[in-house]
Amino acid sequence: MSTNPKFSALQVMQDAPVIPVIVLNNIAHAVPMARALVAGGIRMLEVTLRTPQALACIEAIARDVPEAVVGAGTVRTRADAQAAAMAGARFAVSPGFTPAVGQACRDVGLALLPGVATGSEIMQALEAGFTELKFFPALQAGGPAMLKAWSGPFFDVKFCPTGGVTLHNAPDFLALPNVVCVGGSWLVPADALTQGDWARITQLARATKSL
């Protein structure tokens, strides 16, 4: 398990305007991809647990790219949280929220951004002590208009909208006072990974920093 300094969910969100949502199918891509993002000013990296190689990729980034802060996305179970922490992840992102996943992340020292899409889910996360949340799937669940509506009853909650967020619509989300950052997959296009076009990933990261 990682012995690196812990980060809070808010610190993860405040580091840059965008947390890249990364899907890796080849462990050989992990380290150069992470270095390319860091070179562009993005160091909070969410590697999703959607592929068999994901945990090995997290481990490689944690070991070989110390200037990056690697996290695990698509954390759905206690076992996911435990495996992510053992691989060296320092934060977790989940597509939804259950008290069990929340407690599992606390038990292993992972900052958690739980996913919510409804007012009831926000209330459940708040009851468990989570005030920084992922709004997912953001575009499909109501977009900026939904977040504006939530700013009244959930005035004390900060959001990271993810799902359908692009370089073009990200400013609409980031302009909202209850949005700290967004999650986006556009920083690490699949074809850039396949082609080893690390300069393109660095360029996308730099463009994102100016949002």
Side-chain angles (χ1 to χ4, degrees):
M1 195 174 298
S2 173
T3 58
N4 289 323
K6 291 182 180 179
F7 284 81
S8 69
L10 187 59
Q11 286 174 311
V12 172
M13 295 167 73
Q14 289 176 330
D15 204 67
V18 181
I19 298 173
V21 180
I22 304 162
V23 179
L24 292 170
N25 291 289
N26 187 339
I27 190 172
H29 295 157
V31 168
M33 178 276 308
R35 288 177 174 154
L37 286 169
V38 170
I42 302 293
R43 65 175 189 144
M44 299 289 172
L45 314 182
E46 177 192 340
V47 176
T48 61
L49 301 183
R50 300 180 191 177
T51 69
Q53 297 80 14
L55 288 169
C57 290
I58 289 171
E59 186 173 6
I61 294 168
R63 181 185 64 241
D64 295 338
V65 194
E67 59 271 40
V69 180
V70 64
T74 324
V75 171
R76 302 185 303 172
T77 65
R78 176 177 291 275
D80 285 343
Q82 292 170 338
M86 290 296 293
R90 295 161 73 184
F91 67 93
V93 183
S94 59
F97 174 73
T98 67
V101 166
Q103 188 58 51
C105 288
R106 284 198 174 108
D107 289 344
V108 295
L110 290 177
L112 173 65
L113 271 178
V116 298
T118 68
S120 295
E121 291 169 357
I122 294 172
M123 290 169 65
Q124 290 169 8
L126 286 171
E127 283 183 359
F130 294 94
T131 55
E132 289 82 35
L133 308 176
K134 178 174 86 162
F135 176 37
F136 177 81
L139 203 62
Q140 297 84 346
M146 182 64 82
L147 287 163
K148 287 179 185 176
W150 280 345
S151 65
F154 301 118
F155 60 90
D156 52 346
V157 178
K158 299 298 183 184
F159 293 97
C160 172
T162 306
V165 181
T166 66
L167 182 62
H168 303 292
N169 66 18
D172 298 334
F173 287 98
L174 291 167
L176 299 172
N178 57 348
V179 171
V180 179
C181 68
V182 300
S185 59
W186 76 84
L187 286 86
V188 186
D191 59 338
L193 286 173
T194 302
Q195 296 162 13
D197 192 350
W198 314 123
R200 180 181 170 200
I201 290 175
T202 296
Q203 183 180 24
L204 288 167
R206 285 182 178 144
T208 292
K209 285 286 285 186
S210 64
L211 286 173

